[in-house]
Amino acid sequence: FGVQTGLNLYMKIVLSNTWISKERGMKGIPGAFLITALQQLVSFCLLIPVLLILWPTRWRYTPKPLKTPKAWAGVLGLSVTFALNIGLNNMSLSLLPMSINLMIRSCIPLATWVMQKLVSVCVPGGFGGNSSTPMEVGLMLSGVFFAALAAVAKEEGASHSHSGGDPDSKDFVAGIVIGVLSLVACSLYLIFAQWLGQDVKMNPIDMTLYMSVPAALFLLPLMSMHHPVGWKGFHMISDWQVLHEVMSLSPHTMILVAFSGFFAVCYNTLQYAMVSELSATHTAFAGNFNKAATIVLSLVLGLETLPGKPWGQVTVFSIVGGIASFTAYSLMKTAGGGKAGH
């Protein structure tokens, strides 16, 4: 809980609110793919010295070698889907209020369940998920409804505001679309992680180590994509251009980006441990408890405010309903005592 919440709040409070240039109205670092690539490089740079330090001791750790095409394909798939998942989510987080971003991400269990069913048809006996009861499917669909309701309430509340709306509502539609795309990437990412952990028998440290550099390299061409930013006087620029502006106006800000890599390596390792022990869908559901607490923290800390009546009440209702739906699903799975299949 602490690592995921810390990473989300750090991204929102620190990276999104850091001034690059007050005179030019440039606030935050609107380079999602840039930030993700640097986080992965920092993760690799943190792990390598630790392995070297432990090498001459009795706690020497040797990563599992990749000897089969299946292992190489799994690491490649994990790297690509991870890069898209985190990169697209960071971009969505820069365009949306944290509560809406988290409600979209609360649909990850449903997206993962659907993707496991689709993949199991294409790869029999490989990545398939376990069966679900009609009640469990109904709870997942209920969660999607509440997530959509939260997005509509926030948008309607902003459009009816006399002050011109929450500044976070700028590029709202783009943020929603990018958030949905990140769901697809995240579901495939969790499925690859489950496969590597349970079938290939790769541990969380190995997954983090092998995935870091390929994921960063895959993000390099994506950094050339032009996207909207919240800087005054800028409209559509690439992450490479964002990097150039930051290095020119406030180079010390990149230290803050590098520090986020510490949260990233902790979060990745813990998530791989969970998905290896449980399943892709169960891991996705476990994250919804963290999302509920983070939403409350974002409101308590004043990172965002509720829209006016009646949309403020609708937003609260949809947040509570969405989290309750997925929590009930988790409790049903736990009570059933079943472990998701591969």
Side-chain angles (χ1 to χ4, degrees):
F1 162 76
V3 175
Q4 182 179 8
T5 303
L7 179 58
N8 282 334
L9 292 178
Y10 186 87
M11 293 292 297
K12 194 67 177 179
I13 297 176
V14 179
L15 297 187
S16 295
N17 291 309
T18 298
W19 283 102
I20 305 303
S21 174
K22 289 187 177 181
E23 294 77 11
R24 298 176 59 179
M26 300 168 64
K27 184 180 180 181
I29 307 175
F33 297 118
L34 165 66
I35 292 173
T36 308
L38 289 177
Q39 286 175 341
Q40 298 319 298
L41 291 177
V42 169
S43 298
F44 183 80
C45 292
L46 287 174
L47 287 175
I48 291 300
V50 172
L51 296 181
L52 293 177
I53 292 173
L54 294 178
W55 185 261
T57 71
R58 61 177 179 174
W59 298 288
R60 173 187 296 188
Y61 178 79
T62 303
K64 181 177 180 178
L66 303 178
K67 296 181 178 180
T68 65
K70 184 167 73 170
W72 281 98
V75 170
L76 179 61
L78 184 71
S79 302
V80 171
T81 53
F82 171 85
L84 289 175
N85 168 39
I86 302 299
L88 291 173
N89 183 56
N90 284 347
M91 183 179 292
S92 175
L93 191 61
S94 69
L95 298 173
L96 294 176
M98 180 177 285
S99 60
I100 300 301
N101 172 268
L102 290 175
M103 286 307 301
I104 293 175
R105 299 292 287 185
S106 292
C107 296
I108 290 175
L110 175 60
T112 304
W113 179 79
V114 171
M115 194 62 65
Q116 281 188 307
K117 295 301 181 183
L118 293 175
V119 174
S120 65
V121 173
C122 301
V123 188
F127 297 85
N130 64 324
S131 59
S132 297
T133 66
M135 178 63 73
E136 291 166 351
V137 175
L139 286 171
M140 286 191 287
L141 293 175
S142 173
V144 172
F145 166 76
F146 283 117
L149 183 61
V152 171
K154 185 68 178 180
E155 176 70 354
E156 288 295 322
S159 64
H160 285 80
S161 173
H162 295 290
S163 63
D166 190 329
D168 262 342
S169 296
K170 188 176 183 180
D171 300 313
F172 189 87
V173 175
I176 292 292
V177 172
I178 292 170
V180 171
L181 291 176
S182 75
L183 289 182
V184 178
C186 184
S187 61
L188 290 173
Y189 159 67
L190 290 173
I191 292 171
F192 271 113
Q194 177 184 334
W195 181 55
L196 285 173
Q198 296 182 355
D199 290 9
V200 183
K201 306 301 181 183
M202 188 175 291
N203 66 41
I205 295 178
D206 290 345
M207 282 190 252
T208 303
L209 182 65
Y210 285 130
M211 178 271 297
S212 300
V213 175
L217 292 176
F218 178 75
L219 286 164
L220 292 180
L222 298 180
M223 288 171 58
S224 299
M225 294 173 54
H226 285 67
H227 56 83
V229 297
W231 287 349
K232 184 178 180 180
F234 293 84
H235 181 53
M236 301 284 288
I237 62 175
S238 69
D239 281 16
W240 289 112
Q241 292 171 299
V242 170
L243 176 61
H244 178 266
E245 294 293 336
V246 173
M247 293 301 296
S248 299
L249 299 173
S250 182
H252 65 276
T253 304
M254 297 306 296
I255 298 176
L256 299 177
V257 178
F259 186 73
S260 69
F262 170 76
F263 289 102
V265 68
C266 295
Y267 174 67
N268 293 341
T269 304
L270 291 174
Q271 187 176 58
Y272 293 149
M274 287 187 63
V275 78
S276 297
E277 290 296 323
L278 302 173
S279 71
T281 304
H282 274 201
T283 301
F285 271 96
N288 283 295
F289 291 98
N290 300 344
K291 293 178 178 67
T294 306
I295 290 174
V296 175
L297 281 176
S298 67
L299 293 173
V300 171
L301 296 175
L303 300 180
E304 55 183 272
T305 58
L306 292 173
K309 294 182 179 180
W311 298 109
Q313 289 80 353
V314 174
T315 301
V316 172
F317 172 72
S318 60
I319 289 174
V320 173
I323 297 300
S325 297
F326 286 123
T327 301
Y329 177 97
S330 298
L331 292 175
M332 288 185 65
K333 283 293 188 182
T334 301
K339 183 178 179 179
H342 294 192

